[in-house]
Amino acid sequence: MDIIKPRTLSGFMELLPAKQAQFEKMTQILRDTYAAYGFAPLDTPVLEDAQILLAKGGGDTEKQIYRFSKGDNDLAMRFDLTVPLAKYVALHYNDLVFPFRRYQIGKVYRGERPQRGRFREFYQADIDIVGDGKLDTMNEAEIPAIICKIFRGFGLRRFQIRVNNRKILTGFYAMLGLEEKSGDIMRTVDKLEKIGPDKVAAILVEDCGITPAQASEILHFTNLSGDNADVLSALESYAGRNEIFDLGLAELQAVTGNLAAFGVPQENFAVDLTIARGLDYYTGTVYETTLLDYPEIGSVCSGGRYDNLAGYYIDRPLPGVGISIGLTRLFFVLDDLGLFNPDLPTAPADALVLPMTAQPGAAIALAEDLRSAGLRVQLYGEQKKFKQKLAYADKLGVPFAVLLGEDELAQGKCSVKNMTTGEQVTLPAQEAAQYIAAALAEKDGPLILEKSNGR
Amino acid sequence: MDIIKPRTLSGFMELLPAKQAQFEKMTQILRDTYAAYGFAPLDTPVLEDAQILLAKGGGDTEKQIYRFSKGDNDLAMRFDLTVPLAKYVALHYNDLVFPFRRYQIGKVYRGERPQRGRFREFYQADIDIVGDGKLDTMNEAEIPAIICKIFRGFGLRRFQIRVNNRKILTGFYAMLGLEEKSGDIMRTVDKLEKIGPDKVAAILVEDCGITPAQASEILHFTNLSGDNADVLSALESYAGRNEIFDLGLAELQAVTGNLAAFGVPQENFAVDLTIARGLDYYTGTVYETTLLDYPEIGSVCSGGRYDNLAGYYIDRPLPGVGISIGLTRLFFVLDDLGLFNPDLPTAPADALVLPMTAQPGAAIALAEDLRSAGLRVQLYGEQKKFKQKLAYADKLGVPFAVLLGEDELAQGKCSVKNMTTGEQVTLPAQEAAQYIAAALAEKDGPLILEKSNGR
């Protein structure tokens, strides 16, 4: 047979089993957290009618999209989870209950130029809360709690959820008589962290056509800092001069007002007037999340409030708020930084049962008993020498080997060997299961281990 | 704005939230069961190099595949999970530990003519155990235990795992001097259930070119029935006449010999000599699984033993055994038959917290407390009348509403309203969480409810 050299396309992540186990743990934390906040899981097709997916059209999206024909169909692979959500909500509008809260963790596709850490197929993990006509600010206030629960669930402590409100920016620009240029200014200011204040000022003056004095006022405003209370009171000094500004300030106060009740620690949250998000889609609260020790990664969880989710598909205002985590990239970066806790087992089984008698019946039944007790158990069926069997457990990283020989059988027990310490105890099946479960619980710890002093 | 009528492509399943919740429960049972048997989760790209995916080439696959170019790449969407597994094992051969056990639950794509119950995008849920050069029969013996655990996990009792061994068939045909025609005969006999013995005999004589007497012997052999012991002892009467046959019989004995230890009830298992599977790929044990009350669905979980997983990609024999569940179709059929347990909650939350005081802080903290106790809790943030808030809980099917008004606040308690019975109790947060958890545990039951007398 002719051999074709196997390969995986570049830009497509394909993990070895141990890393896949870590990835699955991240996914499980996301699913559990989203579910804990009452979001319904949603699954939409990867392939959609290209006309529908590109209703908004234009820009990089159109260039990057995987689009093709089959039969009469003009097909495209989804490039995010927001457009499919908009389609879903418009299509099933009459069957949904609003506010509609959904989470979706799924693969999306962008045919970008491949480069290290950029993927053409990657997971997004999104939540959105979509109202019918109206949606209370309380929903925006809840989002930081969810972000916080997720990142703390991963084991991270040194992260910051940075929040702003685009109405505050729009209102402030209006105070300077620059309401017409609001979008351009915001997109420029959004680059502050990337290119620094001098270049932002230059672009504001040269490209946006505002005066140097205005640019300087904008940068001064954007620079208001301190703890949340300081920034909020500085903002209050601008109140009463523009309606949009006042509305944005009230929303920001609502979002920041109940952080303690939501269980969000002060150190994980900051009002940050530099956050604008590039997209005009957002109309109020905007969120970014940064890892404090790794600012160069940029935001690892972003989103915001929007007023019109599905205007391309339905003639009805559907305001909402949502966030998105680029899961594949986040995983890549955390792994690249070496932050995954090396002490957590990544083996597919908690225990490997090694039959050591002529008849395998007792070992089979033992494996089933250990499974009934909640353990993940592999029965090793190969005819190999004892040493090779243990070497297999070792290579897989299975934490416990369970041996069943004639001696154990005669006693109605089994021997449990701790593969890390070499320690071995002989116990009846039920006690063996408890012993293993207790030892695993002791090994348990955070998925991500922050290096204690940054890096 | 111009409105584009939203639609989802035909042949692509897109579920409403309540049905999605049922689908997720099926997926969870599959994941948990596969993990309990020590299979590692695997995730491979949906898109692969078309040359690699089509290494085997030919047939319906090539016609049905979604294949397209982007830049210099000749791309295709995977049409099953077996070819990507073969590629994965060959590509990462040096980094894997054998036997390599993996499960994969993922979407695959086939551009078939759409018809009711057939999907162009559908989930397969596969497991495979792949050996390096050798793989013990014990692995084949374990598969029925896993199938049984899954279908019993769904709540089904009236299903049958039907097992055969292709070596037995090949050996028997050889006894008749028909070894050359083995493949053709097997593919014909495999249609027995679909087209009946007369048509099978006719095809055997007319198309396969064997004598009517041989056809009749084949049908007699295939028809050997009774309980497992009867069939096995009938088979033993053929032993000693052909080596391949004897090998197959020994394998079948190994697979059936430890069913009790594996916890597979007699009634869920049958040796069935009519099972051949159409694919030449399989070389030994083959499995099918039928729902006894719905034989017209055909097999809902099939697979078998193969000798050469990845011959197209690597010059090394990689024998294995695997099964596949067509999850999307199985879900569609079970739903279509109305078998999902209507009493299981499908709401995204266990409890809906309704703030009824001016300040939402206490309600927010209460929701967080209930979540910490393990409940899925939605905080209802909209400014609506009490009646409308309850109507929302009702429409979503949330089993409990948790009310927090001034009275409850003064007592340090909350009121828990059972949305089914209308019953209401007032309790401190921790007790409320326990009360809800206990009531939910009581509501728990099988995901699928078999109708007691078949249909």
Side-chain angles (χ1 to χ4, degrees), chain A residues 96-121:
Chain A
L96 296 176
V97 186
F98 293 92
F100 171 58
R101 299 160 75 93
R102 82 87 175 80
Y103 77 84
Q104 184 162 9
I105 302 173
K107 287 177 169 178
V108 304
Y109 296 82
R110 296 185 195 172
E112 294 189 76
R113 197 164 50 83
Q115 46 183 310
R116 193 179 145 71
R118 302 289 277 181
F119 296 92
R120 292 176 157 186
E121 175 186 76

PDB file of all heavy atoms in Angstrom, chain A residues 96-121:
ATOM      1  N   LEU A  96     -38.720  31.237  21.918  1.00  0.00           N
ATOM      2  CA  LEU A  96     -37.775  31.498  23.005  1.00  0.00           C
ATOM      3  C   LEU A  96     -38.434  32.325  24.100  1.00  0.00           C
ATOM      4  O   LEU A  96     -39.409  33.034  23.864  1.00  0.00           O
ATOM      5  CB  LEU A  96     -36.541  32.232  22.467  1.00  0.00           C
ATOM      6  CG  LEU A  96     -35.699  31.443  21.453  1.00  0.00           C
ATOM      7  CD1 LEU A  96     -34.558  32.303  20.918  1.00  0.00           C
ATOM      8  CD2 LEU A  96     -35.144  30.156  22.076  1.00  0.00           C
ATOM      9  N   VAL A  97     -37.896  32.199  25.310  1.00  0.00           N
ATOM     10  CA  VAL A  97     -38.379  32.965  26.446  1.00  0.00           C
ATOM     11  C   VAL A  97     -37.327  34.031  26.733  1.00  0.00           C
ATOM     12  O   VAL A  97     -36.150  33.706  26.894  1.00  0.00           O
ATOM     13  CB  VAL A  97     -38.566  32.053  27.674  1.00  0.00           C
ATOM     14  CG1 VAL A  97     -39.206  32.824  28.810  1.00  0.00           C
ATOM     15  CG2 VAL A  97     -39.391  30.825  27.310  1.00  0.00           C
ATOM     16  N   PHE A  98     -37.724  35.283  26.768  1.00  0.00           N
ATOM     17  CA  PHE A  98     -36.778  36.392  26.968  1.00  0.00           C
ATOM     18  C   PHE A  98     -36.897  36.949  28.375  1.00  0.00           C
ATOM     19  O   PHE A  98     -37.995  37.031  28.890  1.00  0.00           O
ATOM     20  CB  PHE A  98     -37.054  37.496  25.940  1.00  0.00           C
ATOM     21  CG  PHE A  98     -36.741  37.074  24.536  1.00  0.00           C
ATOM     22  CD1 PHE A  98     -37.730  36.517  23.728  1.00  0.00           C
ATOM     23  CD2 PHE A  98     -35.464  37.212  24.027  1.00  0.00           C
ATOM     24  CE1 PHE A  98     -37.438  36.111  22.428  1.00  0.00           C
ATOM     25  CE2 PHE A  98     -35.173  36.806  22.729  1.00  0.00           C
ATOM     26  CZ  PHE A  98     -36.169  36.262  21.923  1.00  0.00           C
ATOM     27  N   PRO A  99     -35.809  37.382  29.011  1.00  0.00           N
ATOM     28  CA  PRO A  99     -34.430  37.323  28.520  1.00  0.00           C
ATOM     29  C   PRO A  99     -33.988  35.883  28.263  1.00  0.00           C
ATOM     30  O   PRO A  99     -34.220  35.007  29.074  1.00  0.00           O
ATOM     31  CB  PRO A  99     -33.601  37.952  29.635  1.00  0.00           C
ATOM     32  CG  PRO A  99     -34.573  38.702  30.484  1.00  0.00           C
ATOM     33  CD  PRO A  99     -35.891  38.064  30.314  1.00  0.00           C
ATOM     34  N   PHE A 100     -33.318  35.720  27.122  1.00  0.00           N
ATOM     35  CA  PHE A 100     -32.797  34.425  26.714  1.00  0.00           C
ATOM     36  C   PHE A 100     -31.309  34.389  27.047  1.00  0.00           C
ATOM     37  O   PHE A 100     -30.544  35.230  26.596  1.00  0.00           O
ATOM     38  CB  PHE A 100     -33.032  34.239  25.213  1.00  0.00           C
ATOM     39  CG  PHE A 100     -32.339  33.029  24.621  1.00  0.00           C
ATOM     40  CD1 PHE A 100     -32.594  31.750  25.112  1.00  0.00           C
ATOM     41  CD2 PHE A 100     -31.457  33.171  23.564  1.00  0.00           C
ATOM     42  CE1 PHE A 100     -31.962  30.640  24.568  1.00  0.00           C
ATOM     43  CE2 PHE A 100     -30.821  32.058  23.003  1.00  0.00           C
ATOM     44  CZ  PHE A 100     -31.075  30.792  23.521  1.00  0.00           C
ATOM     45  N   ARG A 101     -30.942  33.443  27.869  1.00  0.00           N
ATOM     46  CA  ARG A 101     -29.533  33.325  28.293  1.00  0.00           C
ATOM     47  C   ARG A 101     -28.960  32.052  27.719  1.00  0.00           C
ATOM     48  O   ARG A 101     -29.435  30.968  28.008  1.00  0.00           O
ATOM     49  CB  ARG A 101     -29.462  33.237  29.822  1.00  0.00           C
ATOM     50  CG  ARG A 101     -30.017  34.452  30.537  1.00  0.00           C
ATOM     51  CD  ARG A 101     -30.364  34.110  31.985  1.00  0.00           C
ATOM     52  NE  ARG A 101     -29.193  33.984  32.821  1.00  0.00           N
ATOM     53  CZ  ARG A 101     -28.675  34.982  33.542  1.00  0.00           C
ATOM     54  NH1 ARG A 101     -29.232  36.185  33.519  1.00  0.00           N
ATOM     55  NH2 ARG A 101     -27.611  34.788  34.272  1.00  0.00           N
ATOM     56  N   ARG A 102     -27.937  32.186  26.911  1.00  0.00           N
ATOM     57  CA  ARG A 102     -27.343  30.969  26.360  1.00  0.00           C
ATOM     58  C   ARG A 102     -25.825  31.011  26.462  1.00  0.00           C
ATOM     59  O   ARG A 102     -25.218  32.066  26.427  1.00  0.00           O
ATOM     60  CB  ARG A 102     -27.761  30.758  24.901  1.00  0.00           C
ATOM     61  CG  ARG A 102     -26.976  31.536  23.834  1.00  0.00           C
ATOM     62  CD  ARG A 102     -25.736  30.791  23.382  1.00  0.00           C
ATOM     63  NE  ARG A 102     -25.032  31.444  22.300  1.00  0.00           N
ATOM     64  CZ  ARG A 102     -24.198  32.474  22.434  1.00  0.00           C
ATOM     65  NH1 ARG A 102     -23.980  33.034  23.608  1.00  0.00           N
ATOM     66  NH2 ARG A 102     -23.555  32.962  21.382  1.00  0.00           N
ATOM     67  N   TYR A 103     -25.243  29.816  26.624  1.00  0.00           N
ATOM     68  CA  TYR A 103     -23.802  29.726  26.443  1.00  0.00           C
ATOM     69  C   TYR A 103     -23.535  28.827  25.259  1.00  0.00           C
ATOM     70  O   TYR A 103     -24.339  27.962  24.921  1.00  0.00           O
ATOM     71  CB  TYR A 103     -23.070  29.241  27.700  1.00  0.00           C
ATOM     72  CG  TYR A 103     -23.114  27.784  28.043  1.00  0.00           C
ATOM     73  CD1 TYR A 103     -22.221  26.882  27.465  1.00  0.00           C
ATOM     74  CD2 TYR A 103     -24.001  27.285  28.983  1.00  0.00           C
ATOM     75  CE1 TYR A 103     -22.231  25.538  27.810  1.00  0.00           C
ATOM     76  CE2 TYR A 103     -24.021  25.936  29.331  1.00  0.00           C
ATOM     77  CZ  TYR A 103     -23.136  25.065  28.742  1.00  0.00           C
ATOM     78  OH  TYR A 103     -23.136  23.732  29.078  1.00  0.00           O
ATOM     79  N   GLN A 104     -22.436  29.064  24.590  1.00  0.00           N
ATOM     80  CA  GLN A 104     -22.032  28.190  23.494  1.00  0.00           C
ATOM     81  C   GLN A 104     -20.512  28.100  23.509  1.00  0.00           C
ATOM     82  O   GLN A 104     -19.814  29.123  23.551  1.00  0.00           O
ATOM     83  CB  GLN A 104     -22.555  28.716  22.145  1.00  0.00           C
ATOM     84  CG  GLN A 104     -22.221  27.771  20.992  1.00  0.00           C
ATOM     85  CD  GLN A 104     -23.055  27.999  19.726  1.00  0.00           C
ATOM     86  OE1 GLN A 104     -23.786  28.979  19.620  1.00  0.00           O
ATOM     87  NE2 GLN A 104     -22.938  27.102  18.768  1.00  0.00           N
ATOM     88  N   ILE A 105     -20.013  26.892  23.492  1.00  0.00           N
ATOM     89  CA  ILE A 105     -18.576  26.649  23.397  1.00  0.00           C
ATOM     90  C   ILE A 105     -18.392  25.866  22.108  1.00  0.00           C
ATOM     91  O   ILE A 105     -18.832  24.729  22.012  1.00  0.00           O
ATOM     92  CB  ILE A 105     -18.060  25.856  24.619  1.00  0.00           C
ATOM     93  CG1 ILE A 105     -18.372  26.627  25.912  1.00  0.00           C
ATOM     94  CG2 ILE A 105     -16.566  25.577  24.496  1.00  0.00           C
ATOM     95  CD1 ILE A 105     -18.059  25.873  27.190  1.00  0.00           C
ATOM     96  N   GLY A 106     -17.829  26.500  21.105  1.00  0.00           N
ATOM     97  CA  GLY A 106     -17.762  25.818  19.819  1.00  0.00           C
ATOM     98  C   GLY A 106     -16.622  26.332  18.972  1.00  0.00           C
ATOM     99  O   GLY A 106     -16.039  27.393  19.233  1.00  0.00           O
ATOM    100  N   LYS A 107     -16.326  25.562  17.937  1.00  0.00           N
ATOM    101  CA  LYS A 107     -15.235  25.929  17.042  1.00  0.00           C
ATOM    102  C   LYS A 107     -15.695  26.952  16.025  1.00  0.00           C
ATOM    103  O   LYS A 107     -16.803  26.855  15.494  1.00  0.00           O
ATOM    104  CB  LYS A 107     -14.735  24.688  16.303  1.00  0.00           C
ATOM    105  CG  LYS A 107     -13.931  23.740  17.179  1.00  0.00           C
ATOM    106  CD  LYS A 107     -13.517  22.490  16.415  1.00  0.00           C
ATOM    107  CE  LYS A 107     -12.486  21.688  17.221  1.00  0.00           C
ATOM    108  NZ  LYS A 107     -12.088  20.450  16.532  1.00  0.00           N
ATOM    109  N   VAL A 108     -14.834  27.913  15.734  1.00  0.00           N
ATOM    110  CA  VAL A 108     -15.090  28.887  14.671  1.00  0.00           C
ATOM    111  C   VAL A 108     -13.857  28.923  13.772  1.00  0.00           C
ATOM    112  O   VAL A 108     -12.784  28.456  14.153  1.00  0.00           O
ATOM    113  CB  VAL A 108     -15.425  30.288  15.242  1.00  0.00           C
ATOM    114  CG1 VAL A 108     -16.605  30.217  16.196  1.00  0.00           C
ATOM    115  CG2 VAL A 108     -14.218  30.907  15.925  1.00  0.00           C
ATOM    116  N   TYR A 109     -14.028  29.493  12.581  1.00  0.00           N
ATOM    117  CA  TYR A 109     -13.024  29.345  11.521  1.00  0.00           C
ATOM    118  C   TYR A 109     -12.664  30.668  10.888  1.00  0.00           C
ATOM    119  O   TYR A 109     -13.558  31.412  10.471  1.00  0.00           O
ATOM    120  CB  TYR A 109     -13.572  28.378  10.456  1.00  0.00           C
ATOM    121  CG  TYR A 109     -13.773  27.014  11.050  1.00  0.00           C
ATOM    122  CD1 TYR A 109     -14.924  26.719  11.783  1.00  0.00           C
ATOM    123  CD2 TYR A 109     -12.779  26.059  10.963  1.00  0.00           C
ATOM    124  CE1 TYR A 109     -15.075  25.485  12.404  1.00  0.00           C
ATOM    125  CE2 TYR A 109     -12.922  24.820  11.581  1.00  0.00           C
ATOM    126  CZ  TYR A 109     -14.070  24.546  12.297  1.00  0.00           C
ATOM    127  OH  TYR A 109     -14.197  23.340  12.923  1.00  0.00           O
ATOM    128  N   ARG A 110     -11.392  30.951  10.838  1.00  0.00           N
ATOM    129  CA  ARG A 110     -10.920  32.147  10.135  1.00  0.00           C
ATOM    130  C   ARG A 110      -9.639  31.807   9.395  1.00  0.00           C
ATOM    131  O   ARG A 110      -8.641  31.442  10.019  1.00  0.00           O
ATOM    132  CB  ARG A 110     -10.659  33.295  11.114  1.00  0.00           C
ATOM    133  CG  ARG A 110     -11.940  33.743  11.802  1.00  0.00           C
ATOM    134  CD  ARG A 110     -11.700  34.956  12.675  1.00  0.00           C
ATOM    135  NE  ARG A 110     -12.844  35.130  13.573  1.00  0.00           N
ATOM    136  CZ  ARG A 110     -12.910  36.004  14.569  1.00  0.00           C
ATOM    137  NH1 ARG A 110     -11.863  36.786  14.801  1.00  0.00           N
ATOM    138  NH2 ARG A 110     -13.974  36.093  15.320  1.00  0.00           N
ATOM    139  N   GLY A 111      -9.695  31.946   8.080  1.00  0.00           N
ATOM    140  CA  GLY A 111      -8.529  31.599   7.271  1.00  0.00           C
ATOM    141  C   GLY A 111      -7.457  32.662   7.301  1.00  0.00           C
ATOM    142  O   GLY A 111      -7.036  33.164   6.266  1.00  0.00           O
ATOM    143  N   GLU A 112      -6.981  33.000   8.501  1.00  0.00           N
ATOM    144  CA  GLU A 112      -5.926  34.008   8.642  1.00  0.00           C
ATOM    145  C   GLU A 112      -4.584  33.441   8.205  1.00  0.00           C
ATOM    146  O   GLU A 112      -4.397  32.234   8.137  1.00  0.00           O
ATOM    147  CB  GLU A 112      -5.781  34.404  10.110  1.00  0.00           C
ATOM    148  CG  GLU A 112      -6.973  35.106  10.684  1.00  0.00           C
ATOM    149  CD  GLU A 112      -6.631  35.651  12.071  1.00  0.00           C
ATOM    150  OE1 GLU A 112      -5.927  36.681  12.137  1.00  0.00           O
ATOM    151  OE2 GLU A 112      -7.066  35.072  13.069  1.00  0.00           O
ATOM    152  N   ARG A 113      -3.638  34.321   7.988  1.00  0.00           N
ATOM    153  CA  ARG A 113      -2.268  33.907   7.768  1.00  0.00           C
ATOM    154  C   ARG A 113      -1.806  33.205   9.041  1.00  0.00           C
ATOM    155  O   ARG A 113      -1.867  33.770  10.130  1.00  0.00           O
ATOM    156  CB  ARG A 113      -1.398  35.138   7.486  1.00  0.00           C
ATOM    157  CG  ARG A 113      -0.055  34.852   6.838  1.00  0.00           C
ATOM    158  CD  ARG A 113       0.529  36.144   6.267  1.00  0.00           C
ATOM    159  NE  ARG A 113       0.524  37.227   7.250  1.00  0.00           N
ATOM    160  CZ  ARG A 113       1.471  37.409   8.187  1.00  0.00           C
ATOM    161  NH1 ARG A 113       2.506  36.605   8.234  1.00  0.00           N
ATOM    162  NH2 ARG A 113       1.401  38.420   9.034  1.00  0.00           N
ATOM    163  N   PRO A 114      -1.352  31.957   8.926  1.00  0.00           N
ATOM    164  CA  PRO A 114      -0.990  31.267  10.166  1.00  0.00           C
ATOM    165  C   PRO A 114       0.289  31.840  10.766  1.00  0.00           C
ATOM    166  O   PRO A 114       1.222  32.161  10.047  1.00  0.00           O
ATOM    167  CB  PRO A 114      -0.798  29.814   9.731  1.00  0.00           C
ATOM    168  CG  PRO A 114      -0.734  29.807   8.251  1.00  0.00           C
ATOM    169  CD  PRO A 114      -1.106  31.147   7.724  1.00  0.00           C
ATOM    170  N   GLN A 115       0.283  32.000  12.065  1.00  0.00           N
ATOM    171  CA  GLN A 115       1.494  32.404  12.768  1.00  0.00           C
ATOM    172  C   GLN A 115       1.374  31.847  14.174  1.00  0.00           C
ATOM    173  O   GLN A 115       0.283  31.463  14.601  1.00  0.00           O
ATOM    174  CB  GLN A 115       1.636  33.937  12.777  1.00  0.00           C
ATOM    175  CG  GLN A 115       0.367  34.679  13.128  1.00  0.00           C
ATOM    176  CD  GLN A 115       0.535  36.189  13.063  1.00  0.00           C
ATOM    177  OE1 GLN A 115       1.466  36.728  13.633  1.00  0.00           O
ATOM    178  NE2 GLN A 115      -0.372  36.868  12.387  1.00  0.00           N
ATOM    179  N   ARG A 116       2.496  31.808  14.866  1.00  0.00           N
ATOM    180  CA  ARG A 116       2.539  31.225  16.194  1.00  0.00           C
ATOM    181  C   ARG A 116       1.450  31.826  17.092  1.00  0.00           C
ATOM    182  O   ARG A 116       1.352  33.038  17.251  1.00  0.00           O
ATOM    183  CB  ARG A 116       3.919  31.529  16.787  1.00  0.00           C
ATOM    184  CG  ARG A 116       4.221  30.748  18.021  1.00  0.00           C
ATOM    185  CD  ARG A 116       5.605  31.064  18.547  1.00  0.00           C
ATOM    186  NE  ARG A 116       5.582  31.009  19.999  1.00  0.00           N
ATOM    187  CZ  ARG A 116       5.476  29.895  20.688  1.00  0.00           C
ATOM    188  NH1 ARG A 116       5.399  28.744  20.070  1.00  0.00           N
ATOM    189  NH2 ARG A 116       5.426  29.919  22.013  1.00  0.00           N
ATOM    190  N   GLY A 117       0.623  30.942  17.665  1.00  0.00           N
ATOM    191  CA  GLY A 117      -0.380  31.398  18.609  1.00  0.00           C
ATOM    192  C   GLY A 117      -1.663  31.910  17.970  1.00  0.00           C
ATOM    193  O   GLY A 117      -2.569  32.352  18.668  1.00  0.00           O
ATOM    194  N   ARG A 118      -1.696  31.914  16.615  1.00  0.00           N
ATOM    195  CA  ARG A 118      -2.938  32.289  15.923  1.00  0.00           C
ATOM    196  C   ARG A 118      -3.497  31.029  15.292  1.00  0.00           C
ATOM    197  O   ARG A 118      -2.758  30.244  14.703  1.00  0.00           O
ATOM    198  CB  ARG A 118      -2.653  33.297  14.804  1.00  0.00           C
ATOM    199  CG  ARG A 118      -1.978  34.562  15.273  1.00  0.00           C
ATOM    200  CD  ARG A 118      -2.878  35.440  16.058  1.00  0.00           C
ATOM    201  NE  ARG A 118      -3.710  36.282  15.188  1.00  0.00           N
ATOM    202  CZ  ARG A 118      -4.592  37.165  15.636  1.00  0.00           C
ATOM    203  NH1 ARG A 118      -4.787  37.311  16.927  1.00  0.00           N
ATOM    204  NH2 ARG A 118      -5.294  37.907  14.807  1.00  0.00           N
ATOM    205  N   PHE A 119      -4.786  30.854  15.373  1.00  0.00           N
ATOM    206  CA  PHE A 119      -5.377  29.617  14.874  1.00  0.00           C
ATOM    207  C   PHE A 119      -6.451  29.893  13.835  1.00  0.00           C
ATOM    208  O   PHE A 119      -7.127  30.917  13.878  1.00  0.00           O
ATOM    209  CB  PHE A 119      -5.933  28.807  16.046  1.00  0.00           C
ATOM    210  CG  PHE A 119      -4.858  28.361  16.979  1.00  0.00           C
ATOM    211  CD1 PHE A 119      -4.511  29.133  18.089  1.00  0.00           C
ATOM    212  CD2 PHE A 119      -4.142  27.214  16.723  1.00  0.00           C
ATOM    213  CE1 PHE A 119      -3.471  28.751  18.930  1.00  0.00           C
ATOM    214  CE2 PHE A 119      -3.109  26.816  17.558  1.00  0.00           C
ATOM    215  CZ  PHE A 119      -2.770  27.586  18.656  1.00  0.00           C
ATOM    216  N   ARG A 120      -6.561  28.971  12.889  1.00  0.00           N
ATOM    217  CA  ARG A 120      -7.595  29.074  11.860  1.00  0.00           C
ATOM    218  C   ARG A 120      -8.873  28.382  12.306  1.00  0.00           C
ATOM    219  O   ARG A 120      -9.952  28.704  11.850  1.00  0.00           O
ATOM    220  CB  ARG A 120      -7.082  28.442  10.562  1.00  0.00           C
ATOM    221  CG  ARG A 120      -5.948  29.242   9.962  1.00  0.00           C
ATOM    222  CD  ARG A 120      -5.394  28.564   8.732  1.00  0.00           C
ATOM    223  NE  ARG A 120      -4.732  29.553   7.896  1.00  0.00           N
ATOM    224  CZ  ARG A 120      -4.247  29.305   6.689  1.00  0.00           C
ATOM    225  NH1 ARG A 120      -4.343  28.088   6.175  1.00  0.00           N
ATOM    226  NH2 ARG A 120      -3.667  30.258   5.996  1.00  0.00           N
ATOM    227  N   GLU A 121      -8.716  27.396  13.162  1.00  0.00           N
ATOM    228  CA  GLU A 121      -9.858  26.750  13.816  1.00  0.00           C
ATOM    229  C   GLU A 121      -9.644  26.952  15.303  1.00  0.00           C
ATOM    230  O   GLU A 121      -8.610  26.551  15.821  1.00  0.00           O
ATOM    231  CB  GLU A 121      -9.883  25.252  13.485  1.00  0.00           C
ATOM    232  CG  GLU A 121     -10.964  24.467  14.219  1.00  0.00           C
ATOM    233  CD  GLU A 121     -10.890  22.948  13.983  1.00  0.00           C
ATOM    234  OE1 GLU A 121     -10.007  22.292  14.574  1.00  0.00           O
ATOM    235  OE2 GLU A 121     -11.695  22.440  13.212  1.00  0.00           O
TER     236      GLU A 121
END
